[in-house]
Amino acid sequence: MTGGEPSNPEPSRQDDDQLYRGRHETPEERADRRWNELMQEIRVAQTGVQILFGFLLTVVFTTRFPQLSDTDRTIYIITVSLGAAATGALIGPVPFHRIVAGRRIKPQAVTWASRLTFVGLVLLLATLACALLLILRVATGATFVPWLVAGLVFWYLLCWFVLPLWVRHRYTAQDRK
């Protein structure tokens, strides 16, 4: 090397990947970290879906339930079914982990548990939409209710999916430049 050249050689592609990730961890360490992060996220969603589902299960025992129209009963059945599916998907990663623990497949377990969680969040969104539709129909009977629910679903979509995807795209693309 001559006097004016830097002493560090050009970084390899592997070094770039490490710098891009910002962490120096083994695949197992990364899986452990991602699992712990996923469990923290699931705790929040599980609590909400379990409270909502529990509430939905009690509705059928209220004195007003027999007075619901056939349409409202159908919305109720769909809502309870979606709530049950969301609960199953959001609790699913726990037994999933129990069943595969110790098999040295944690990276794959994290991937599948993450997918279950995503499906659970989509089902939770559908449950919330149906629950809002039912409650607001019964409470007001107003014709604007479907529009109000559509606006709220749009808000959930923005907060839960659009904003995170936009931030991911914006800052990931910026990091690669």
Side-chain angles (χ1 to χ4, degrees), residues 27-98:
E28 292 80 17
E29 290 169 334
R30 183 169 190 250
D32 288 341
R33 177 182 53 81
R34 289 184 65 216
W35 182 262
N36 289 330
E37 290 171 355
L38 183 62
M39 286 300 105
Q40 292 299 333
E41 295 163 5
I42 289 173
R43 281 186 185 100
V44 173
Q46 274 180 351
T47 302
V49 76
Q50 287 172 330
I51 290 169
L52 176 60
F53 186 57
F55 167 75
L56 288 170
L57 292 176
T58 66
V59 169
V60 75
F61 298 107
T62 64
T63 56
R64 193 162 176 195
F65 187 81
Q67 300 166 356
L68 291 179
S69 69
D70 287 342
T71 301
D72 290 336
R73 285 178 188 243
T74 300
I75 294 170
Y76 174 76
I77 290 167
I78 292 167
T79 305
V80 169
S81 299
L82 287 168
T87 301
L90 290 170
I91 293 174
V94 176
F96 190 98
H97 182 261
R98 272 302 98 219

Side-chain angles (χ1 to χ4, degrees), residues 28 31 97 99-109:
E28 292 80 17
H97 182 261
I99 291 169
V100 303
R103 303 289 179 176
R104 297 178 187 240
I105 57 169
K106 188 171 245 177
Q108 295 83 358

